[in-house]
Amino acid sequence: MDTESLDPMERLLAERDCERLLVEFLRRLDLGDPSTVADLFTPDGVWEWPYDNRRIEGRDALRRYFGSRPADRLSRRMTTNILVTVHTPEQASATSYFATYRVDGHTDGMLPPRLPTNVGHYEDTFRRTDTTWLLTSRTVFLPFGGATENLSPPGRP
């Protein structure tokens, strides 16, 4: 279907739904239950990082992967430049940029500012099921990345 034939309001609502889904993805990782990120994917959804050939496929595997995040991890992700392209009433794609601030071993309180651990972009695809947009794939590209700082005292994990 030619995207020009889409109703402008239908396109606008689809773009907003997909954008909101991406923001919800990051909110769940930082402030919610990370394992519930899997619910934002289609049942056959895929998360991948081509750099180290990491590919997680299917909701159960995604739930385990995102749910394995350390309990003492403090993170905040900033996302920007979200550009959603609606291809059909049921399919869309997007690119967005992000910076991740992250430390492990956090117990409480405010930390001094740090540089981001990762800076990169996502390439996403979406499918509309009934009235809900879900991710079918999320691919992460990290041109700038480093190890997660661990605040635990020496001798503690």
Side-chain angles (χ1 to χ4, degrees), residues 72-76 103-114 151:
D72 63 354
R73 176 165 286 171
L74 173 65
S75 64
R76 294 295 182 269
V103 297
D104 286 346
H106 181 260
T107 55
D108 194 26
M110 184 170 47
L111 299 175
R114 286 160 163 69
L151 304 175

Side-chain angles (χ1 to χ4, degrees), residues 24-25 28-29 33-41 62-63 66:
E24 180 64 16
F25 181 101
R28 289 182 185 200
L29 283 178
D33 177 357
S35 68
T36 66
V37 165
D39 299 330
L40 303 177
F41 285 85
L62 289 163
R63 193 172 319 285
F66 289 110

Side-chain angles (χ1 to χ4, degrees), residues 13-132:
L13 291 172
E15 289 172 355
R16 180 64 183 124
D17 285 347
C18 292
E19 182 179 322
R20 186 173 178 84
L21 180 66
L22 298 180
V23 173
E24 180 64 16
F25 181 101
L26 301 178
R27 187 195 69 77
R28 289 182 185 200
L29 283 178
D30 289 341
L31 302 174
D33 177 357
S35 68
T36 66
V37 165
D39 299 330
L40 303 177
F41 285 85
T42 58
D44 60 345
V46 173
W47 181 93
E48 65 183 320
W49 184 25
Y51 175 76
D52 75 348
N53 297 315
R54 192 177 312 170
R55 181 179 172 91
I56 314 301
E57 220 171 320
R59 273 200 189 136
D60 290 339
L62 289 163
R63 193 172 319 285
R64 284 189 303 276
Y65 177 76
F66 289 110
S68 68
R69 169 190 162 111
D72 63 354
R73 176 165 286 171
L74 173 65
S75 64
R76 294 295 182 269
R77 290 165 175 81
M78 310 299 141
T79 190
T80 187
N81 299 358
I82 300 172
L83 178 61
V84 176
T85 302
V86 179
H87 303 289
T88 72
E90 294 82 29
Q91 294 182 325
S93 62
T95 58
S96 57
Y97 294 83
F98 69 91
T100 303
Y101 298 83
R102 179 176 64 216
V103 297
D104 286 346
H106 181 260
T107 55
D108 194 26
M110 184 170 47
L111 299 175
R114 286 160 163 69
L115 292 173
T117 304
N118 297 315
V119 177
H121 79 278
Y122 292 112
E123 293 182 7
D124 301 303
T125 61
F126 307 88
R127 185 169 60 232
R128 184 177 175 168
T129 59
D130 297 325
T131 59
T132 303

Side-chain angles (χ1 to χ4, degrees), residues 127-149:
R127 185 169 60 232
R128 184 177 175 168
T129 59
D130 297 325
T131 59
T132 303
W133 284 91
L134 296 171
L135 282 159
T136 54
S137 69
R138 172 155 259 208
T139 305
V140 61
F141 296 91
L142 289 177
F144 305 100
T148 301
E149 179 183 359

